[in-house]
Amino acid sequence: MTNLVIGANGKTGRRVMDRLTARGLDARGVSRPRFDWTQPSTWDGVFDGVRAAYVTYQPDLAFPGAAEAIRELTGLAVRSGVRRLVLLSGRGEDEAAVSERTVLESGLEATIVRCSFFNQNFSEGAFAGMVEGGVLALPAGERAEPFVDAEDIADVVTAALTEDGHAGQVYELTGPRLLTLDQVASEISAASGRPVRYLPLGAAEYVDLLTGYGLPREEAEALTDLFTQVLDGRNESLTDGVRRALGREPRDFADYAKTAFTR
């Protein structure tokens, strides 16, 4: 029986794959185009021989159609004899709660890993180009966010996939401190030796920025709505999710920045 990672090319998925293979465990990863969330016909056989599965939905559980897709995929997992399922979710996302309930009420040994914004968004993801250009132009105002490290997320997911004692748990993961984007820019500047500044944008300005990069307007508006929703102050608090799952403290943003940006 194998471990399945849906979204194996993503920031957390590839790290989970690395951890599973480093332990000598059998692991199978699927990503687009082989596995397409909008084409259920590509799901055929995905759970064959699978004992435990890590599921990351693209683009986000808050997007239209996500809840239906997770419900259908979870039912397929149950029918296929999967034992454990770990779902990556978003902290403060009202729509994601629907998918969380689907997984938790499925009868599987289910674990929810609910996360804040990833540190790695600044070095591997959507904001990396902004960092390279020296300006973080985002519609975040002056709110603070407890950015969480993808390495911590991968450790929690791997534990939930491979160890007993995590079924039914909702691990809400944050880093150890709250940071505004001004502070994030300062941390990255200090680590990289290059000036990076934060430029707050309005929602309409951010939509125009994303469409200028070639993103369809509908998707740009959905991303902007999500961004402004979760940065309305609801997530300005720390949690003990990493400590509960792993028995240690989460990685600090400064340590991440030194690793990611020091040249």
Side-chain angles (χ1 to χ4, degrees):
M1 300 292 283
T2 191
N3 298 279
L4 175 71
V5 176
I6 295 178
N9 292 333
K11 286 186 284 295
T12 64
R14 64 181 177 82
R15 286 174 166 86
V16 171
M17 287 291 293
D18 288 345
R19 282 158 172 75
L20 293 171
T21 55
R23 294 186 183 192
L25 299 172
D26 192 63
R28 183 169 79 237
V30 293
S31 291
R32 291 177 294 183
R34 178 184 167 194
F35 181 97
D36 187 336
W37 280 106
T38 66
Q39 299 293 329
S41 61
T42 66
W43 308 355
D44 290 346
V46 71
F47 290 120
D48 289 352
V50 171
R51 167 193 169 277
Y54 174 44
V55 177
T56 64
Y57 180 86
Q58 294 294 328
D60 194 276
L61 288 179
F63 275 43
E68 294 78 8
I70 292 295
R71 182 166 55 249
E72 189 169 346
L73 187 82
T74 302
L76 179 60
V78 171
R79 295 191 298 274
S80 301
V82 174
R83 178 183 168 193
R84 289 181 178 168
L85 195 149
V86 181
L87 177 69
L88 180 68
S89 186
R91 190 178 187 226
E93 297 180 12
D94 296 335
E95 298 86 350
V98 178
S99 294
E100 292 181 3
R101 287 194 298 271
T102 295
V103 171
L104 289 171
E105 296 170 1
S106 66
L108 299 169
E109 294 181 12
T111 306
I112 305 300
V113 180
R114 185 188 294 157
C115 298
S116 304
F117 280 103
F118 302 173
N119 294 345
Q120 280 74 11
N121 285 341
F122 298 102
S123 55
E124 303 172 20
F127 311 150
M130 294 183 186
V131 171
E132 284 294 321
V135 180
L136 286 172
L138 295 165
E142 300 305 320
R143 295 292 190 182
E145 173 72 13
F147 297 95
V148 64
D149 200 277
E151 303 291 349
D152 288 338
I153 299 168
D155 283 344
V156 172
V157 170
T158 303
L161 288 173
T162 62
E163 301 170 4
D164 294 333
H166 301 284
Q169 294 294 322
V170 177
Y171 293 124
E172 191 162 307
L173 308 185
T174 70
R177 59 189 172 119
L178 292 163
L179 292 169
T180 66
L181 282 171
D182 261 332
Q183 292 171 316
V184 164
S186 296
E187 296 269 3
I188 295 174
S189 296
S192 66
R194 296 179 291 108
V196 179
R197 66 184 179 91
Y198 168 51
L199 176 65
L201 296 180
E205 292 176 297
Y206 192 58
V207 170
D208 290 341
L209 179 67
L210 293 177
T211 55
Y213 288 146
L215 203 66
R217 177 161 289 273
E218 183 178 357
E219 190 170 341
E221 290 174 347
L223 281 171
T224 301
D225 287 345
L226 175 61
F227 207 103
T228 53
Q229 177 190 100
V230 299
L231 287 171
D232 65 359
R234 69 183 66 189
N235 289 339
E236 283 186 313
S237 61
L238 305 178
T239 69
D240 63 351
V242 172
R243 190 184 320 118
R244 285 199 300 116
L246 303 175
R248 64 165 176 80
E249 296 304 311
R251 187 185 186 199
D252 190 73
F253 190 91
D255 296 325
Y256 150 75
K258 289 174 186 175
T259 300
F261 298 107
T262 300
R263 300 184 183 226

